[in-house]
Amino acid sequence: MVQKAKILLVDDRPENLLALEAILSALDQTLVRASSGEEALKALLTDDFAVILLDVQMPGMDGFETAAHIKRRERTRDIPIIFLTAINHGPHHTFRGYAAGAVDYISKPFDPWVLRAKVSVFVELYMKNCQLREQAALLRLQLEGGGQGGTVKESPGLLAELSARLAAVEEQAEALSKQLDDDSADAAAVATAAHLERKLTGLRRALDALEPGTGSGGPPLPPAQN
């Protein structure tokens, strides 16, 4: 079974969290609540999230301060943050949100369809990255001779399976990139998709080098990145 992505919802008002859950439930992912910045940071210590929906105006640690803490941590700095706010003080306030590391800044009331579409893009990118890391880890294990039955070259069936799995991820990533181009999506989403395609290219090159007749070594496998 494909593991579901986790989406972190941060808002101090329970009714707002309930509304977000109603909007995002159709994505069929795991929705995690946090009623404060401190609670959000605690959740981020143990779980990996595809995207964070963060309310700006909260008592104590507000959204800007929470985002600053998230971006300072190596484990969480690359998680996309979408700011949600009921106040609008003009371009300066919006700029502060982007300066804090947000990939988007949405004012309430917002269009549920737009919010769900934006979140779904980052969920898809997260899932593709997870699939890619799994394939890279499996290939690395085989290259190190850790699997039963010897290396990949000694197991043509395993090589074929790895190639087929990678092809499926490549096809899905290409379709997602075309969707982003068609929809004029956020620059952060486009950049993330391009980064994913580069990693796919490196992994495909490593797999191709293991095909019979290409030599005994092949290029080093690219490191697994987030």
Side-chain angles (χ1 to χ4, degrees):
M1 293 181 62
V2 177
Q3 186 174 2
K4 294 183 179 181
K6 292 183 178 180
I7 302 170
L8 183 58
L9 313 177
V10 189
D11 199 304
D12 63 298
R13 303 185 64 174
E15 62 270 26
N16 290 343
L17 291 171
L18 188 62
L20 288 174
E21 288 175 338
I23 292 170
L24 300 176
S25 61
L27 298 179
D28 193 28
Q29 304 301 324
T30 302
L31 306 177
V32 178
R33 284 189 176 200
S35 58
S36 66
E38 292 85 355
E39 190 175 334
L41 293 176
K42 185 177 180 180
L44 288 162
L45 287 174
T46 55
D47 290 325
D48 294 323
F49 292 91
V51 61
I52 302 169
L53 274 63
L54 180 57
D55 184 42
V56 170
Q57 201 171 22
M58 296 185 295
M61 184 185 296
D62 66 12
F64 296 130
E65 188 178 354
T66 303
H69 281 287
I70 293 171
K71 293 303 177 182
R72 279 198 293 264
R73 293 178 178 176
E74 184 176 355
R75 174 187 172 94
T76 58
R77 65 178 54 166
D78 294 326
I79 302 176
I81 298 174
I82 298 177
F83 272 134
L84 305 176
T85 179
I87 58 176
N88 188 357
H89 295 306
H92 175 73
H93 198 261
T94 303
F95 174 77
R96 187 182 175 191
Y98 288 116
V103 298
D104 212 337
Y105 192 97
I106 303 177
S107 297
K108 303 174 185 178
F110 45 79
D111 186 331
W113 293 94
V114 171
L115 179 62
R116 186 160 54 238
K118 289 177 179 291
V119 171
S120 70
V121 169
F122 288 107
V123 167
E124 287 188 63
L125 287 170
Y126 174 82
M127 298 298 284
K128 299 301 177 292
N129 270 296
C130 288
Q131 290 177 328
L132 182 58
R133 285 197 296 270
E134 289 173 0
Q135 302 310 315
L138 180 57
L139 178 56
R140 185 174 289 105
L141 179 63
Q142 294 299 323
L143 286 172
E144 293 171 352
Q148 294 183 354
T151 64
V152 174
K153 281 200 168 186
E154 295 168 347
S155 305
L158 176 60
L159 180 59
E161 181 182 353
L162 282 170
S163 183
R165 289 184 182 182
L166 180 59
V169 179
E170 288 171 329
E171 183 178 351
Q172 293 166 353
E174 182 180 359
L176 180 58
S177 294
K178 289 181 180 178
Q179 176 186 333
L180 291 174
D181 291 339
D182 293 342
D183 294 343
S184 300
D186 303 323
V190 174
T192 303
H195 180 60
L196 174 62
E197 288 188 344
R198 288 194 296 272
K199 291 195 292 184
L200 281 168
T201 300
L203 188 54
R204 171 57 68 186
R205 190 179 297 119
L207 265 177
D208 289 345
L210 294 172
E211 291 286 353
T214 59
S216 60
L221 190 65
Q225 303 174 10
N226 292 327

